[in-house]
Amino acid sequence: MTAAIFEIKRFAVHDGDGIRTTVFFKGCPLRCVWCHNPEGLTAIPQTAHYSHKCIGCGECKKEGFTPEDCLGEATVLYGKEMTVEELLPILLEDRDFYETSGGGVTLSGGECLMQADFCAELLKKLKENEIHTAVDTCGFVSKESLDKVIPYTDVFLYDIKAYDEEVHIKCTEVSNRIILENLAYLDSLNKKIEVRIPYVPDYNDDQIEKIAHFLAPLQSITKIRVLPYHNYAGSKYKALDIVNTLPEKLPTDEEIKIAVETIKKLTNFVVLS
Ligand code: SF4
Ligand code: SF4
């Protein structure tokens, strides 16, 4: 069994507690207008070309060229088929850092649970090695997929992008009903959940109170993070030659502060940005 991986990020500090290694899986069922990982949208490997990095060496004109031969690192292949056996030793390399920082390994994407069998096998091996595990999910997955990884996942990093269904569809092209149901399901099993809310002006900024009301009665939330939208991914859209959907308007510090305070007032959770 293999999975298409587009990045393995070591020393990650924004993908759960402590120092972590994050594995990014290709393929996502959502199409968020603000997607910061467009190289993770499709499940198939893709070649991107960063023209500003090209040093004109001409290697890519030669027969048998592969992206690894690009001297300027201008041509990049996103998506490498890997087995659990190949990934595991890479993920165990930094176990000392995980132990001293309270970190571990995070599976992310794209949507890693589109490849739930692979994730379950990898997470199981990580737990056998006593590594803390996190699954970063958009929640738009079947209950069967969740059930496969639940026994080996210490914490879920769970994205909530909107409460109103029509707003969610406008922002992501899919309904959020299954996402909200799955969150309630994880909560009923007492799984640790860190909720993450991207804040995108003119798209979901009117959803904060409604999301807070929905989350307030849940029991298993460890913290809530409001993630200010940023548009750093613009160059990736260009390099992949896909339509750039990124909104122009960025949130102000004041807007984020108000969102955090609003959620704090309506829930008993720790709320961070
Ligand atoms: S869920 Fe994440 S990876 Fe998928 S489209 Fe949205 S931002 Fe991109
Ligand atoms: S191999 Fe890379 S750096 Fe060299 S010409 Fe081709 S794209 Fe540019």
Side-chain angles (χ1 to χ4, degrees), residues 6 25 27-38 40-41 108-111 136-139 159 161 171-172 198 237:
F6 69 86
F25 289 70
C28 184
L30 272 56
R31 288 294 177 270
C32 305
V33 289
W34 56 77
C35 181
H36 54 290
N37 284 337
L41 291 175
S108 183
E111 173 51 59
D136 184 359
T137 180
C138 70
D159 297 352
K161 302 167 204 300
C171 294
T172 71
Y237 283 86

Side-chain angles (χ1 to χ4, degrees), residues 49 54-60 65 70-72 74-75:
H49 183 67
C54 177
I55 54 171
C57 67
E59 284 296 313
C60 52
F65 169 82
C70 174
L71 298 181
T75 302

Side-chain angles (χ1 to χ4, degrees), residues 138-140 158-160 168 176-183:
C138 70
F140 193 81
Y158 203 102
D159 297 352
I160 296 291
H168 200 272
N176 59 352
R177 294 300 107 175
I178 186 174
I179 295 171
L180 301 181
E181 278 168 29
N182 279 339
L183 182 63

Side-chain angles (χ1 to χ4, degrees), residues 160-203:
I160 296 291
K161 302 167 204 300
Y163 179 76
D164 291 330
E165 187 176 22
E166 68 275 14
V167 174
H168 200 272
I169 292 172
K170 183 180 156 220
C171 294
T172 71
E173 296 186 10
V174 304
S175 162
N176 59 352
R177 294 300 107 175
I178 186 174
I179 295 171
L180 301 181
E181 278 168 29
N182 279 339
L183 182 63
Y185 175 60
L186 289 177
D187 188 67
S188 73
L189 298 176
N190 297 321
K191 291 306 295 186
K192 282 189 183 162
I193 308 162
E194 177 181 321
V195 171
R196 297 149 81 91
I197 307 170
Y199 185 101
V200 190
D202 297 343
Y203 282 89

Side-chain angles (χ1 to χ4, degrees), residues 7-192:
E7 191 180 356
I8 299 170
K9 191 164 151 200
R10 297 171 70 182
F11 303 105
V13 291
H14 299 294
D15 300 323
D17 291 339
I19 295 173
R20 313 189 71 84
T21 300
T22 304
V23 185
F24 293 87
F25 289 70
K26 259 180 97 51
C28 184
L30 272 56
R31 288 294 177 270
C32 305
V33 289
W34 56 77
C35 181
H36 54 290
N37 284 337
E39 72 275 45
L41 291 175
T42 65
I44 49 165
Q46 286 166 292
T47 303
H49 183 67
Y50 292 89
S51 53
H52 64 285
K53 289 188 173 177
C54 177
I55 54 171
C57 67
E59 284 296 313
C60 52
K61 303 279 183 294
K62 294 182 185 164
E63 208 171 309
F65 169 82
T66 66
E68 286 90 63
D69 302 328
C70 174
L71 298 181
E73 295 181 0
T75 302
V76 178
L77 177 68
Y78 288 120
K80 185 180 175 200
E81 292 290 337
M82 297 185 81
T83 63
V84 169
E85 290 69 30
E86 283 171 315
L87 263 174
L88 190 65
I90 299 171
L91 303 179
L92 295 180
E93 272 173 33
D94 290 334
R95 69 181 307 153
D96 289 350
F97 293 104
Y98 309 154
E99 275 163 23
T100 50
S101 69
V105 170
T106 300
L107 307 191
S108 183
E111 173 51 59
C112 60
L113 295 184
M114 283 182 83
Q115 303 176 72
D117 286 316
F118 184 96
C119 289
E121 197 178 320
L122 179 58
L123 291 163
K124 185 167 182 255
K125 290 270 183 323
L126 289 165
K127 289 317 299 173
E128 283 167 9
N129 283 276
E130 297 178 1
I131 303 292
H132 182 273
T133 57
V135 167
D136 184 359
T137 180
C138 70
F140 193 81
V141 296
S142 67
K143 228 175 227 130
E144 291 71 32
S145 294
L146 274 183
D147 282 338
K148 284 175 187 169
V149 298
I150 281 170
Y152 316 113
T153 304
D154 292 314
V155 61
F156 284 88
L157 311 179
Y158 203 102
D159 297 352
I160 296 291
K161 302 167 204 300
Y163 179 76
D164 291 330
E165 187 176 22
E166 68 275 14
V167 174
H168 200 272
I169 292 172
K170 183 180 156 220
C171 294
T172 71
E173 296 186 10
V174 304
S175 162
N176 59 352
R177 294 300 107 175
I178 186 174
I179 295 171
L180 301 181
E181 278 168 29
N182 279 339
L183 182 63
Y185 175 60
L186 289 177
D187 188 67
S188 73
L189 298 176
N190 297 321
K191 291 306 295 186
K192 282 189 183 162

